[in-house]
Amino acid sequence: MFSITVLVSGGGTNLQAIIDSIANGELKDAGVYIKKVISNNKEAFALERAKNNGIETSVISPKDYPDRAAFEVALKSAIDESAPDLIVLAGFLVVIPEAIVRSYPKKIINIHPSLIPSFCGKGYYGLKVHEAALARGVKVTGATVHFVDEGTDTGPIILQKAVEVKEGDTPEVLQQRVMKEAEHILLPHAIALLAKERA
Ligand code: GRF
């Protein structure tokens, strides 16, 4: 079996794509299962999605700790406890502490809603990525799955998928298209590739 721990901060549509793929998509029969879902945000709807599917959840919020160091220690122990074969950042908005990156070399992946190296790095997350793409006037954008290293969106690229930018797109419309046509396809596919490789 290949266990994954998924880190989330928001709506959890990428988590849902993994759940759905395990149920009857590419991840079915791939021996992949979600061991735990961890969020820094107790309001994240992604936690509901996990609970609706009987997946263990935990909330590690910076607000609950006296300082950043204590939060990072708690986050690492919550991950270590689940002993995952792979850590998946699915809309997780916290920069992964170096201690965690070092403990899990080539075992942490992230989905970013642009074609890296465009529109990525500090400050580029969520809708801001699509606002920047529209402001620049690109005709093609997309999503990237990459390994997480000590930088922000700088690790080795695993998969990318292009998505057309259409006349009159708003950031919200473009975000939905990138999610549906790229993110929700790429993330389960990347997990399947790594599960097979690890097998
Ligand atoms: C989306 O913008 C996605 O591109 C990025 O995180 C945001 C929330 O995704 N990875 P989700 O719906 O919580 O999976």
Side-chain angles (χ1 to χ4, degrees):
M1 292 299 273
F2 188 77
S3 65
I4 63 174
T5 290
V6 185
L7 275 53
V8 297
S9 297
T13 64
N14 280 286
L15 169 65
Q16 191 65 52
I18 298 168
I19 291 169
D20 295 347
S21 183
I22 289 172
N24 57 19
E26 184 176 8
L27 289 179
K28 187 174 166 57
D29 310 326
V32 172
Y33 70 103
I34 303 173
K35 192 93 165 282
K36 189 178 201 178
V37 169
I38 299 171
S39 182
N40 61 308
N41 168 16
K42 67 180 185 326
E43 308 297 324
F45 186 67
L47 292 168
E48 286 308 304
R49 296 179 190 269
K51 287 172 193 158
N52 293 343
N53 288 275
I55 300 166
E56 185 192 346
T57 62
S58 71
V59 174
I60 311 285
S61 166
K63 299 190 189 88
D64 299 336
Y65 296 90
D67 53 43
R68 190 79 192 170
F71 162 71
E72 294 186 352
V73 165
L75 180 63
K76 185 172 185 303
S77 60
I79 293 169
D80 292 348
E81 211 178 284
S82 65
D85 292 309
L86 183 69
I87 299 164
V88 179
L89 309 186
F92 191 60
L93 297 179
V94 171
V95 174
I96 300 299
E98 228 172 283
I100 296 176
V101 174
R102 278 200 308 272
S103 304
Y104 294 93
K106 285 283 171 77
K107 291 178 112 179
I108 311 175
I109 63 173
N110 179 48
I111 176 88
H112 182 76
S114 76
L115 296 175
I116 290 176
S118 298
F119 314 116
C120 65
K122 283 196 182 4
Y124 285 101
Y125 57 89
L127 272 183
K128 292 173 188 286
V129 174
H130 305 291
E131 286 162 1
L134 290 170
R136 184 64 186 82
V138 294
K139 304 307 173 195
V140 173
T141 186
T144 302
V145 179
H146 64 93
F147 285 111
V148 172
D149 63 8
E150 283 77 4
T152 302
D153 304 329
T154 51
I157 290 172
I158 301 170
L159 295 171
Q160 293 190 302
K161 191 168 189 303
V163 172
E164 184 192 2
V165 179
K166 296 185 175 167
E167 202 54 45
D169 271 349
T170 62
E172 292 75 6
V173 166
L174 184 54
Q175 179 177 53
Q176 288 305 312
R177 188 179 311 122
V178 169
M179 279 180 164
K180 284 190 178 56
E181 295 182 12
E183 296 180 45
H184 299 165
I185 293 165
L186 287 184
L187 199 49
H189 187 47
I191 295 166
L193 292 176
L194 292 169
K196 280 188 199 110
E197 190 184 272
R198 208 61 57 82

